[in-house]
Amino acid sequence: HLMKIFSHRRSFPAAASGLRLTSRDLLKFGSLYLNNGRWDDKQILTENWVNETFKTQILRENNSTIYGYSYLFWTYSETVNNKAFQIVSARGLGGQRIFINKELKLIVVITAGNYRRNDIRNDGQLALDKYILPALH
């Protein structure tokens, strides 16, 4: 029934859209992955699944930037002050982001409403790269 609600008047479910989560929900999702699939002392996802998700499965290149994709997450390395940070990120439409770095035990959640706006330059990625990671290094 829920999939029908989000099908946007199509005869098939819209699996790529329609999920609405609060910032706290996104943080819980990130915490589940940061903690190797554990939540409240329960193993919700296998540790192997999380490890495989954090590994690049497919390499992509865009304007000389190389990044990866892995089970609905983007994987890449971000260099700040000559230090490389391995980032895994979930990206939703309009600027919704979950950034995870296991080394720093870092989860950054950003929500926005920049729908159909490809011209945004001061986005969540810039906040991570320019302000958050440098503040932690």
Side-chain angles (χ1 to χ4, degrees), residues 8 13-14 23 33-34 38 46 105 107 111 119 125 128 135:
H8 303 292
S23 296
Y33 275 84
L34 184 67
R38 295 189 66 76
T46 67
K105 296 183 180 172
I107 303 167
T111 56
D119 61 338
Q125 184 70 54
L128 179 74

Side-chain angles (χ1 to χ4, degrees), residues 82 113 116 137:
N82 297 320
R116 295 183 184 95
H137 176 61

Side-chain angles (χ1 to χ4, degrees), residues 38-105:
R38 295 189 66 76
W39 184 263
D40 285 339
D41 295 322
K42 291 182 183 178
Q43 194 73 39
I44 306 296
L45 301 172
T46 67
E47 191 169 342
N48 184 57
W49 175 261
V50 174
N51 289 336
E52 286 300 308
T53 299
F54 278 43
K55 292 180 190 173
T56 298
Q57 305 298 322
I58 299 169
L59 274 177
R60 307 271 311 205
E61 187 172 345
N62 183 15
N63 299 329
S64 76
T65 301
I66 298 174
Y67 55 98
Y69 193 73
S70 180
Y71 306 120
L72 304 178
F73 285 86
W74 296 98
T75 61
Y76 61 96
S77 179
E78 192 65 54
T79 302
V80 176
N81 297 329
N82 297 320
K83 175 156 177 53
F85 295 93
Q86 298 304 313
I87 305 292
V88 176
S89 68
R91 298 171 176 259
L93 180 65
Q96 283 45 260
R97 303 287 185 261
I98 305 171
F99 297 106
I100 302 168
N101 174 273
K102 280 195 163 194
E103 179 186 2
L104 296 172
K105 296 183 180 172

Side-chain angles (χ1 to χ4, degrees), residues 3 6 8 10 13-19 91-93:
M3 291 307 288
F6 297 121
H8 303 292
R10 290 184 243 154
S17 66
L19 185 61
R91 298 171 176 259
L93 180 65

